[in-house]
Amino acid sequence: MAMNSIGEFVLIIGDIHIPQRAASLPEQFRDLLMPGKMQHVICPGNVGSRESIEWLENLAAAKSQAHIVKGDCDEVQGLPETKVVQIHNFKIGIIHGHQVIPWGDMEALAAVQRQLDCDILVSGHTHQHSITQYDGKYFINPGSVTGAYSASNSNPRPSFILLGVQGDDILAFIYEMVEDEPEPNI
């Protein structure tokens, strides 16, 4: 298992929607998201196709370290609605987010977090990236990696989140396309 000075890399990427709403990833992201760099991949759904699932599985250090849940637009069979994984000292819950009404509502997300009994809840659906601390827990939404159109966000910017996880420590990087260049926010 590859270890870096900031720990294991965990890619959080979602709302891909290829080929339904987007033809491909932004070219700049394709250059960053290459196999052999991430130990874990977490995807809160709407992958779009079996090919996208295989691509995500190839990004992770092992197929078993690609954690993908079913989004409201996913037709691929066999994806769970929710999942909880342990990465170092963190229990990470994963849902798509369409189950939470209103979409993105912190109280509703906190109820899911308590139900899944996790330290961090990863969700998508809004196509807007965010990292929020609420009631002593963390809530992460990677946005849409392709910038696909959404009913709740008609002009999303392509984005994903990369975590460095080691023991009790996490360092988060948000990558967002800004004028056709990927720009990390730390």
Side-chain angles (χ1 to χ4, degrees), residues 19-186:
Q20 295 84 359
R21 297 186 193 175
S24 65
L25 291 177
E27 183 177 334
Q28 299 87 338
F29 283 178
R30 278 187 300 223
D31 294 341
L32 294 172
L33 300 173
M34 302 294 291
K37 294 184 178 182
M38 272 54 89
Q39 285 71 48
H40 304 271
V41 174
I42 293 175
C43 179
N46 280 350
V47 292
S49 67
R50 172 59 59 195
E51 291 79 16
S52 292
I53 290 174
E54 291 169 2
W55 175 72
L56 292 170
E57 291 171 343
N58 286 328
L59 287 178
K63 185 176 178 177
S64 64
Q65 292 173 301
H67 311 287
I68 305 165
V69 298
K70 181 179 178 59
D72 60 326
C73 296
D74 283 324
E75 296 178 6
V76 176
Q77 299 299 313
L79 295 175
E81 290 285 325
T82 65
K83 188 171 187 177
V84 177
V85 298
Q86 182 84 33
I87 300 177
H88 283 263
N89 296 339
F90 296 95
K91 283 178 62 179
I92 303 173
I94 313 162
I95 64 166
H96 175 62
H98 67 280
Q99 310 93 323
V100 175
I101 305 295
W103 297 333
D105 179 75
M106 288 311 304
E107 280 294 322
L109 287 167
V112 173
Q113 172 274 317
R114 288 187 298 273
Q115 179 185 16
L116 296 178
D117 189 28
C118 57
D119 305 304
I120 300 167
L121 181 66
V122 173
S123 64
H125 193 62
T126 64
H127 295 211
Q128 177 61 49
H129 68 76
S130 65
I131 300 175
T132 305
Q133 185 178 16
Y134 183 81
D135 202 22
K137 304 295 181 181
Y138 284 93
F139 299 82
I140 298 176
N141 185 325
S144 169
V145 70
T146 58
Y149 170 82
S150 164
S152 62
N153 186 354
S154 62
N155 194 23
R157 288 184 176 173
S159 63
F160 65 90
I161 293 176
L162 184 64
L163 302 179
V165 181
Q166 189 167 20
D168 290 330
D169 298 320
I170 291 184
L171 182 60
F173 302 87
I174 299 172
Y175 286 81
E176 178 180 44
M177 290 297 296
V178 178
E179 297 181 22
D180 296 325
E181 292 296 325
E183 185 172 297
N185 293 320
I186 302 171

Side-chain angles (χ1 to χ4, degrees), residues 6-21:
I6 61 172
E8 293 186 357
F9 286 119
V10 180
L11 174 64
I12 303 179
I13 185 170
D15 289 303
I16 300 168
H17 290 288
I18 294 174
Q20 295 84 359
R21 297 186 193 175

